[in-house]
Amino acid sequence: MKKIEAIIRPEKVEDIKEELNKLNVNGLTLSQVMGCGQQKGWKEYFRGTEVILSVLPKVKAEIIVTDAQLEAVIEVICKAAHTGELGDGKIFVYDVVDAIRIRTGERGIGAV
Ligand SMILES: Nc1ncnc2c1ncn2[C@@H]1O[C@H](COP(=O)(O)OP(=O)(O)OP(=O)(O)O)[C@@H](O)[C@H]1O
Ligand SMILES: [Mg+2]
């Protein structure tokens, strides 16, 4: 199992959720975050306007997937999150040791 942590533009969340549902990936955690990348947030466009801020609002999506699903999920996130402008975001991938569905006690992939 892998954890995908994608930092994306807030306005891309619905598109990404829709694409993930097509892959039968339904579980995810979303957080509103503030961040900066190589430009330290400067001179990016936020909702069509150039903003001068040290950090910009982004959404962090955390998704646990099977190893087999990983590349397809990365691909749809990249496609749906892409505008070609600075600040499109970033994806980090982590190994996941275990998962537990609290209701049933299932462990591992069966709990995801
Ligand atoms: N090295 C990093 N560590 C943690 N979070 C990061 C890192 N780089 C980017 N982020 C997060 O991703 C968001 C988007 O980053 P961004 O897409 O601007 O990266 P970038 O490297 O500057 O690429 P680009 O040149 O395309 O803008 C940031 O606001 C921040 O929340
Ligand atoms: Mg940037």
Side-chain angles (χ1 to χ4, degrees):
M1 284 180 294
K2 304 284 186 203
K3 174 178 163 179
I4 296 173
E5 186 180 286
I7 316 290
I8 53 174
R9 297 181 189 276
E11 61 267 32
K12 292 294 191 179
V13 167
E14 284 306 319
D15 289 351
I16 289 167
K17 266 191 70 192
E18 207 173 294
E19 290 305 315
L20 290 173
N21 288 345
K22 286 184 197 164
L23 292 179
N24 213 19
V25 172
N26 300 309
L28 82 168
T29 303
L30 298 174
S31 318
Q32 293 180 301
V33 296
M34 301 291 286
C36 57
Q38 299 227 308
Q39 296 79 23
K40 300 177 188 157
W42 297 89
K43 285 190 186 167
E44 277 191 20
Y45 286 84
F46 178 61
R47 296 195 173 139
T49 316
E50 191 175 289
V51 286
I52 299 180
L53 290 171
S54 58
V55 287
L56 290 166
K58 300 285 174 184
V59 166
K60 179 168 76 173
E62 295 168 88
I63 312 159
I64 312 302
V65 298
T66 65
D67 290 7
Q69 289 172 316
L70 179 68
E71 289 305 322
V73 172
I74 290 173
E75 196 176 309
V76 300
I77 294 172
C78 283
K79 208 167 161 200
H82 184 267
T83 70
E85 301 294 330
L86 298 174
D88 270 355
K90 218 155 265 192
I91 299 174
F92 304 108
V93 180
Y94 306 84
D95 283 321
V96 173
V97 175
D98 204 357
I100 298 102
R101 174 173 284 117
I102 293 174
R103 177 175 57 86
T104 58
E106 281 162 291
R107 303 285 293 245
I109 287 173
V112 176

